[in-house]
Amino acid sequence: MRIKAVLRDTEILQLNPGSKERIIAAAKKNVDRIVNLPSFLKVMGLSFDERCTMLAMLKDSNLHIWLLNDSQQHLVYFSEKKEFEYGGYNWQ
């Protein structure tokens, strides 16, 4: 499985860390990419212990979220589609 770097830009990084706007913007920027969850949380302004905050903020979005564990890495995948070929746990 190919893990990609988390995409971010200056607009996302200027939003308040941990805010709903920053979480949604970061998720939409990384749609259809398998990324490292701890790195992704840092871009959102969250710690690994705050990963449930990420899920709660994205609950009402139109994104489908898969949580994975591969080679002792915590991974996340966001998509607007309901299908995902790598398995994992379909949280939403």
Side-chain angles (χ1 to χ4, degrees):
M1 177 179 329
R2 178 143 164 69
I3 312 307
K4 298 180 180 179
V6 179
L7 294 176
R8 55 193 157 283
D9 59 34
T10 54
E11 286 184 31
I12 290 173
L13 297 176
Q14 289 177 357
L15 297 171
N16 289 331
S19 68
K20 185 172 186 171
E21 294 80 18
R22 185 165 173 167
I23 291 169
I24 290 172
K28 288 184 177 180
K29 181 84 174 181
N30 287 277
V31 164
D32 295 328
R33 299 172 59 83
I34 300 170
V35 296
N36 180 280
L37 181 57
S39 297
F40 190 66
L41 290 168
K42 284 181 189 176
V43 170
M44 292 179 163
L46 301 171
S47 69
F48 191 73
D49 291 336
E50 296 174 300
R51 60 193 179 276
C52 291
T53 301
M54 174 197 72
L55 296 174
M57 295 290 181
L58 294 170
K59 184 175 86 169
D60 296 325
S61 74
N62 64 339
L63 296 174
H64 297 276
I65 303 165
W66 282 267
L67 303 173
L68 303 97
N69 194 333
D70 182 62
S71 301
Q72 299 179 349
Q73 291 186 76
H74 296 281
L75 308 171
V76 65
Y77 177 81
F78 296 93
S79 179
E80 294 174 342
K81 303 174 198 164
K82 293 182 180 182
E83 300 86 26
F84 179 55
E85 62 188 82
Y86 293 106
Y89 174 73
N90 184 4
W91 180 78
Q92 175 176 303

